[in-house]
Amino acid sequence: MEDCVFCSIVNKTLEKELLYEDDKVVVFKDILPKAPVHLLIVSKDHIVSINHIADTQENLAGHMVNVARKMALKYGVYESGYRLIFNVGRDGGQVIPHLHLHLLGGKTLEA
Ligand code: AMP
Ligand code: ZN
């Protein structure tokens, strides 16, 4: 989708170092990290949020969690612990309306 920063990263019109890529997702570092490890697992399709995943895409969120777990292992927070967050909509604090999963770790996160 035009004017979507995450689509631009997926389409590679905006240059970004990708830490992982498969047919469904890309992973890159959050530009304003809130923890020593702060990665974003981003769907390749422009899906606005968890609320907009179609029934035919029901495996997508599970796949994103699975990729996040592998990234946690690769980036050294698997054992120490980490947090996975889907922000959904205005009250959920979602700023970018393109489906993404936050992976945060590398320090003790506040409750
Ligand atoms: P959310 O509030 O869940 O929509 O989170 C969006 C996240 O995307 C924020 O943590 C931003 O720091 C991050 N972000 C926005 N633009 C970029 C970008 N160009 N590259 C990497 N991360 C970004
Ligand atoms: Zn998009």
Side-chain angles (χ1 to χ4, degrees):
M1 184 190 239
E2 272 180 50
D3 299 332
C4 171
V5 64
F6 286 180
C7 280
S8 301
I9 292 170
V10 168
N11 298 336
K12 297 177 179 157
T13 50
L14 180 64
E15 198 176 330
K16 178 71 70 179
E17 183 192 359
L18 298 183
L19 307 179
Y20 175 85
E21 179 173 13
D22 64 23
D23 58 329
K24 295 188 183 68
V25 299
V26 295
V27 179
F28 50 85
K29 289 183 183 169
D30 196 291
I31 206 164
L32 292 171
K34 295 187 174 68
V37 175
H38 187 174
L39 307 184
L40 299 173
I41 296 87
V42 177
S43 64
K44 280 198 164 174
D45 288 341
H46 182 84
I47 298 166
V48 171
S49 79
I50 281 282
N51 283 354
H52 299 78
I53 295 179
D55 289 346
T56 51
Q57 299 166 311
E58 65 177 0
N59 292 329
L60 180 59
H63 178 69
M64 293 172 81
V65 170
N66 213 24
V67 169
R69 187 160 49 94
K70 287 180 186 160
M71 292 296 111
L73 193 58
K74 186 170 180 186
Y75 288 89
V77 299
Y78 184 89
E79 295 295 343
S80 52
Y82 54 93
R83 186 171 289 168
L84 301 179
I85 304 170
F86 282 108
N87 292 326
V88 183
R90 185 196 59 214
D91 285 357
Q94 185 177 6
V95 174
I96 307 274
H98 179 131
L99 183 65
H100 56 279
L101 174 60
H102 294 258
L103 164 62
L104 296 139
K107 71 170 187 181
T108 302
L109 299 161
E110 289 168 30

